[in-house]
Amino acid sequence: MIITFLGGVGTVTGSMYLVHTNRTNILLECGLFQGKRQESYDRNKHFDFDTRQIDAVVLSHAHIDHSGNLPNLVAQGCTAPIYTTHATRDLCASMLPDSGRIQESDVAYANKKRARKGEPPVAPLYTEDDALYALQRIVGIGYNHSLEIARDVHITFFDAGHILGSAMVLIESKERGRPVRLLFSGDLGQPGLSIVRDPTPMPPSDYLMIESTYGDREHPEVNDGRELLAGAINHVIKRDGRIIIPAFAVGRTQEIVYTLHEMHYKGQIPDIPIYVDSPLAMNVTEVFRQHPECYDRETRLLLEAVESSDPLGFRRLKYVRNVEESKALNTAPNPMIIISASGMAEAGRVQHHLKHAITNPNNIVLITGWQAPNTLGRRIAEREPVVRIFGEEFPLRADVRIAYGYSAHADRQNLLDWAGPQSTANQATFVVHGDPQPAQALANGLRELGYRRVEVPTRGEVVKL
Ligand SMILES: [Zn+2]
């Protein structure tokens, strides 16, 4: 078996690994690299291998940093089937065309500028049509089902508990009659997350590729988020304000909605209008509704308890379908909750809502996830007295509350707990999907557990097993 680490090493973005075993080329993940504009474009546009030589593509989950370059891969001649879970397939059906539209509009904007300078136009990385075409290649398979994708090469997906449909991937093959098992953790979830199950205990394997996003950190309890939400809701009801929650369209939005529904059902919060203002979040929420096979026991019990015509309370939501409805919210009566993309408030409709809400001390901005440096979300989270939105300055007078318990990723202790039981059987481990410091920290933790050979590969590195 030969593994080539093409992306998602030394960083959390652009996951891509090539696994060669038993004369079969498997592309594990085909994520979009996200960084500085030109570097990202070049890296995403050019693959470091012959796309026509790929025999199978295997995808762990729908997040764009794992799936987002599939349309480009297929457009560049890859005809291999793309294996993933059913729920991931359906999430991709919304997310990849959406990503194509973003690529097209990004380029349209850049080309306007180029035209003014007399420069020739550039092509988008891929288009919505490319994404729709790539979807035709996706083959959905269930969890815990071993599928032979080439002679003596099997793959099995196990629930990774990260987002709906997320999976860890076991690749089993025979090389000259000798069995070889490689386990890829995918993105591992945090136990106790809403809706999705806890990660499956680590299946036995010979080799391991493990993510390390939070390899050096531990999360506060998930419950913090719940109390924070309840506190924020009581606050805005008393003061006739509104809560703005910037959230990623996939995962976080549905989790917050589920938590609100659960708290309302248990009588912990009064009824309050919830607006979801993100067309992608709307479609994705529908996919969540259609995949009860991915729910944890708690979610199933809640479903049985509430009327069956309103699964997960998703129909209680008020969806904002167009820009006019979105603008109308500015003058709609309080209290209310608006959940809107993007999660770091860098783009999308949430910026309009923030612009109208942050100057009023009766309102709350609820931050539910990590905010990258230099984003509007980070500036608000750090309570800068004045923030810039659409080139204008606004005093930040709204209350800012931060719920960090919401991470969809396992933390350091979760990762070590998951990997612990298999430490002695393992022959080699590769720590991926993490910045250098958390990756090294996790590698050390694994060594302390008894893992013998633990490496933190660099981009382009090739290992023969
Ligand atoms: Zn992910």
Side-chain angles (χ1 to χ4, degrees):
M1 185 177 279
I2 301 170
I3 308 174
T4 310
F5 298 91
L6 298 166
V9 282
T11 173
V12 294
T13 180
S15 283
M16 201 180 293
Y17 315 97
L18 193 59
V19 178
H20 177 84
T21 181
N22 203 11
R23 291 190 291 277
T24 308
N25 289 316
I26 303 168
L27 187 68
L28 189 54
E29 316 286 68
C30 191
L32 209 59
F33 176 83
Q34 287 160 311
K36 291 199 183 103
R37 187 175 286 263
Q38 191 58 45
E39 184 198 356
S40 304
Y41 183 87
D42 293 341
R43 248 184 89 165
N44 288 320
K45 195 76 189 170
H46 306 289
F47 292 99
D48 296 330
F49 53 87
D50 184 347
T51 54
R52 290 159 304 180
Q53 298 293 317
I54 299 297
D55 302 299
V57 182
V58 178
L59 175 64
S60 72
H61 69 290
H63 277 151
I64 287 296
D65 56 329
H66 295 256
S67 69
N69 215 7
L70 285 170
N72 188 24
L73 179 81
V74 175
Q76 291 195 32
C78 175
T79 56
I82 302 163
Y83 298 102
T84 192
T85 65
H86 299 295
T88 299
R89 192 231 165 263
D90 290 350
L91 286 174
C92 284
S94 292
M95 294 168 69
L96 293 180
D98 184 75
S99 176
R101 279 191 293 273
I102 292 171
Q103 304 293 341
E104 288 178 66
S105 70
D106 274 4
V107 157
Y109 177 77
N111 280 344
K112 256 190 220 161
K113 275 186 165 177
R114 292 175 70 91
R116 259 179 259 134
K117 289 190 236 159
E119 292 169 357
V122 288
L125 184 60
Y126 58 83
T127 62
E128 184 177 1
D129 282 348
D130 291 331
L132 291 168
Y133 184 65
L135 291 176
Q136 296 176 11
R137 303 245 162 264
I138 302 188
V139 181
I141 54 179
Y143 286 121
N144 309 312
H145 171 79
S146 170
L147 181 79
E148 188 169 39
I149 58 167
R151 195 157 169 236
D152 278 335
V153 180
H154 290 78
I155 57 164
T156 313
F157 291 117
F158 299 96
D159 199 335
H162 167 63
I163 59 162
L164 195 86
S166 68
M168 43 188 98
V169 184
L170 182 68
I171 299 174
E172 294 173 285
S173 98
K174 275 208 181 98
E175 295 186 343
R176 293 189 210 92
R178 186 179 69 100
V180 189
R181 296 169 302 179
L182 170 70
L183 180 71
F184 172 52
S185 71
D187 282 5
L188 211 61
Q190 179 182 191
L193 283 180
S194 300
I195 308 175
V196 294
R197 280 186 287 261
D198 286 354
T200 310
M202 185 178 158
S205 63
D206 308 299
Y207 304 105
L208 171 66
M209 285 166 62
I210 184 170
E211 70 121 321
S212 59
T213 315
Y214 290 101
D216 60 348
R217 264 176 294 169
E218 265 141 55
H219 302 316
E221 294 279 313
V222 177
N223 265 5
D224 291 357
R226 227 166 268 241
E227 277 163 33
L228 211 86
L229 262 177
I233 289 165
N234 289 327
H235 178 98
V236 294
I237 286 176
K238 244 182 260 156
R239 304 183 66 165
D240 200 30
R242 55 179 63 185
I243 304 175
I244 311 290
I245 309 179
F248 292 106
V250 184
R252 189 60 41 85
T253 292
Q254 293 76 26
E255 216 182 309
I256 293 166
V257 165
Y258 172 82
T259 306
L260 288 169
H261 182 58
E262 188 194 14
M263 291 197 304
H264 178 251
Y265 176 73
K266 291 181 177 167
Q268 294 161 345
I269 54 165
D271 212 350
I272 176 168
I274 305 165
Y275 293 90
V276 174
D277 187 7
S278 154
L280 178 61
M282 204 168 103
N283 296 338
V284 164
T285 305
E286 183 59 24
V287 177
F288 269 64
R289 219 171 60 70
Q290 288 164 354
H291 285 279
E293 81 278 8
C294 298
Y295 298 165
D296 62 11
R297 193 179 137 76
E298 253 186 332
T299 307
R300 280 199 314 275
L301 290 178
L302 184 72
L303 277 188
E304 280 166 24
V306 298
E307 63 274 44
S308 59
S309 63
D310 188 19
L312 293 184
F314 289 160
R315 281 184 198 150
R316 268 181 59 226
L317 299 176
K318 298 175 200 299
Y319 285 121
V320 181
R321 283 165 209 284
N322 53 48
V323 178
E324 280 64 44
E325 285 179 26
S326 181
K327 282 185 184 156
L329 286 181
N330 295 335
T331 50
N334 286 326
M336 67 165 81
I337 300 173
I338 302 174
I339 305 171
S340 183
S342 76
M344 299 192 199
E346 262 311 89
R349 292 185 191 168
V350 75
Q351 292 198 323
H352 290 277
H353 297 305
L354 287 169
K355 182 178 133 178
H356 286 274
I358 61 165
T359 53
N360 182 343
N362 295 332
N363 297 332
I364 290 179
V365 181
L366 190 65
I367 303 283
T368 62
W370 184 75
Q371 304 293 314
N374 304 316
T375 59
L376 176 59
R378 170 69 78 98
R379 293 194 178 99
I380 292 174
E382 289 182 347
R383 297 178 175 85
E384 287 187 9
V386 176
V387 293
R388 238 173 202 287
I389 305 175
F390 300 124
E392 261 181 87
E393 290 190 336
F394 297 90
L396 174 57
R397 294 201 194 101
D399 201 350
V400 178
R401 301 189 181 185
I402 302 174
Y404 280 120
Y406 269 109
S407 176
H409 280 274
D411 67 9
R412 175 181 173 81
Q413 198 53 49
N414 301 145
L415 288 164
L416 293 174
D417 287 347
W418 179 74
Q422 301 291 335
S423 61
T424 49
N426 182 277
Q427 293 181 36
T429 295
F430 305 96
V431 180
V432 298
H433 199 282
D435 291 330
Q437 190 184 323
Q440 288 296 348
L442 185 71
N444 288 334
L446 290 167
R447 288 179 193 119
E448 282 162 24
L449 282 177
Y451 275 83
R452 275 168 289 178
R453 176 184 160 194
V454 185
E455 293 174 15
V456 181
T458 52
R459 185 165 168 254
E461 198 170 317
V462 181
V463 292
K464 283 187 188 159
L465 303 169

